[in-house]
Amino acid sequence: MAPLVLKPLDGSQKTLAFAQKSIRVGADERNELVIADLLVASFHALILCQGGLVRLVAYTDGETRVNAQAVTAECYVFRGDRLTFGRTEYLLLDAPKLCWNLPAH
């Protein structure tokens, strides 16, 4: 399966690729995406590729944003969206083809 690809928007040139269908996000080392940010909870959010869509599930209020809009429960995300956890921002570059069966928003 093609990976879900995130690019940190911290000025670095690296990208992060994840092959699994769910990615746990948070400050705890048991997450797949570990973020060292004081505004990020131990288990902050979950990114899922499910049913042909990419869904972001926020476990915290106010510190998770998509394109600068607060996410208080969950929302769908698309290629090109900016995902912010605390003060740490990522650009969603790509996901498994299965997840791109809808037109961009």
Side-chain angles (χ1 to χ4, degrees):
M1 169 165 58
L4 187 138
V5 181
L6 297 172
K7 179 177 182 6
L9 295 177
D10 60 2
S12 70
Q13 295 301 312
K14 66 182 176 181
T15 58
L16 307 171
F18 301 92
Q20 58 270 50
K21 291 183 180 180
S22 66
I23 301 162
R24 294 173 300 173
V25 178
D28 191 281
E29 293 292 325
R30 292 173 283 180
N31 293 297
E32 288 78 29
L33 177 54
V34 178
I35 301 174
D37 181 324
L38 293 176
L39 296 178
V40 173
S42 295
F43 296 96
H44 195 89
L46 180 67
I47 302 170
L48 296 167
C49 179
Q50 185 178 41
L53 297 168
V54 180
R55 190 166 49 115
L56 174 66
V57 180
Y59 297 144
T60 60
D61 289 338
E63 303 302 334
T64 303
R65 298 182 179 280
V66 173
N67 300 322
Q69 299 296 311
V71 177
T72 57
E74 63 182 71
C75 69
Y76 292 106
V77 293
F78 300 88
R79 185 183 300 130
D81 281 349
R82 290 175 180 256
L83 312 180
T84 307
F85 308 102
R87 285 181 245 142
T88 306
E89 191 172 31
Y90 296 87
L91 180 65
L92 179 57
L93 292 180
D94 206 359
K97 298 295 183 228
L98 172 66
C99 290
W100 299 135
N101 65 353
L102 293 179
H105 65 291

